[in-house]
Amino acid sequence: MDSVGFKAPRQAAPKTMTSAKIVVAGGFGAGKTTFVGSVSEIVPLTTEAMMTDASTGIDDLAATPNKSTTTVAMDFGRVSLDEDLILYLFGTPGQERFWFMWDDLVRGAIGAVVLADTRRLADSFAPIDFFEDRGLPYIVGVNTFDGVLQHDLNDVREALSIDESIPLVRCDARERESTKQTLITMVEYAMQQWLAVRGMNDPRPVG
Ligand SMILES: Nc1nc2c(ncn2[C@@H]2O[C@H](COP(=O)(O)OP(=O)(O)OP(=O)(O)O)[C@@H](O)[C@H]2O)c(=O)[nH]1
Ligand SMILES: [Mg+2]
């Protein structure tokens, strides 16, 4: 306190920067590269290869006729959720012949967003099983191609047979706000899971 009674402003505690790795997974053409690209603050690193006639009959383009490239290794992007949390995003390749890379890609991740395209929901089963098997927290983002939610989210949950505790959210992979919100849901869920496994309560105030 000085002579006129003002308190000297307290020195703000230095903020600690935390970073976390998140995987964006899903079936072929579910929108993973689009998702990473819409939210990343850096120019995303992509490994897209042109799809050629050689993939005719292997890659089903019925749902995404304008798709001309596919991810052959991974997508990489970065987003700050607030000033002290940076997420590093790793998008997986969707095609089955590249799945051998997934084990390397998920190493060190706190969790995953599994993107689902309800026009070919069955493609989400393998990615979901992958994270279930490894016990890595995941949420499901139903990518609303053309902004239209084709099915009720409860029906999607039932079709995917995922537990009620696992967040299942609607998202538009092309929209930054929507992808960011999906990532926030992922991080909150991963944090809850982390605390639950250690028998701790969420220290944040309710409401
Ligand atoms: N209309 C619409 N098109 C989308 C949306 N998300 C992705 N697309 C389109 O769908 C196609 C597939 O998107 P990608 O982001 O390449 O999908 P991906 O999951 O990375 O595909 P792979 O890496 O090949 O498995 C592209 O032509 C995108 O432009 C969406 O939300 N709405
Ligand atoms: Mg891709």
Side-chain angles (χ1 to χ4, degrees):
M1 195 94 57
D2 68 12
S3 53
V4 269
F6 289 114
K7 263 191 185 164
R10 260 225 219 123
Q11 201 76 32
K15 289 211 164 188
T16 4
M17 187 70 88
T18 309
S19 63
K21 172 177 176 179
I22 296 219
V23 172
V24 181
F28 172 62
K32 303 174 292 293
T33 301
T34 309
F35 184 103
V36 173
S38 74
V39 78
S40 181
E41 293 151 353
I42 54 168
V43 178
L45 166 79
T46 58
T47 56
E48 296 294 282
M50 289 301 290
M51 295 202 293
T52 63
D53 290 347
S55 69
T56 310
I58 299 171
D59 302 330
D60 180 5
L61 291 177
T64 50
N66 297 328
K67 187 170 167 59
S68 57
T69 63
T70 187
T71 305
V72 293
M74 64 168 193
D75 308 303
F76 174 73
R78 191 194 71 187
V79 57
S80 342
L81 275 198
D82 60 34
E83 52 189 21
D84 49 8
L85 178 61
I86 295 180
L87 299 184
Y88 292 104
L89 307 178
F90 288 72
T92 64
Q95 292 173 312
E96 215 169 320
R97 57 183 176 278
F98 299 126
W99 285 358
F100 66 91
M101 280 181 254
W102 283 37
D103 269 316
D104 286 332
L105 272 177
V106 303
R107 199 161 296 139
I110 60 160
V113 174
V114 176
L115 283 183
D117 176 352
T118 53
R119 296 168 301 180
R120 37 197 179 154
L121 207 52
D123 290 0
S124 311
F125 290 138
I128 287 175
D129 285 348
F130 178 89
F131 296 112
E132 290 272 358
D133 284 350
R134 281 154 189 82
L136 193 70
Y138 68 92
I139 69 163
V140 176
V142 177
N143 192 10
T144 54
F145 283 83
D146 300 323
V148 182
L149 187 62
Q150 308 275 3
H151 304 276
D152 185 81
L153 287 182
N154 288 325
D155 294 341
V156 176
R157 180 184 292 282
E158 199 171 317
L160 291 174
S161 29
I162 55 167
D163 196 85
E164 264 185 22
S165 60
I166 297 173
L168 184 136
V169 297
R170 169 191 181 147
C171 80
D172 185 330
R174 299 163 303 171
E175 296 288 333
R176 184 178 159 75
E177 270 319 303
S178 174
T179 47
K180 207 166 175 181
Q181 199 48 54
T182 307
L183 290 170
I184 291 170
T185 305
M186 160 78 269
V187 171
E188 286 181 347
Y189 179 63
M191 196 190 279
Q192 271 173 23
Q193 294 294 104
W194 192 91
L195 292 169
V197 165
R198 284 157 187 82
M200 294 156 79
N201 289 322
D202 191 336
R204 291 168 302 171
V206 180

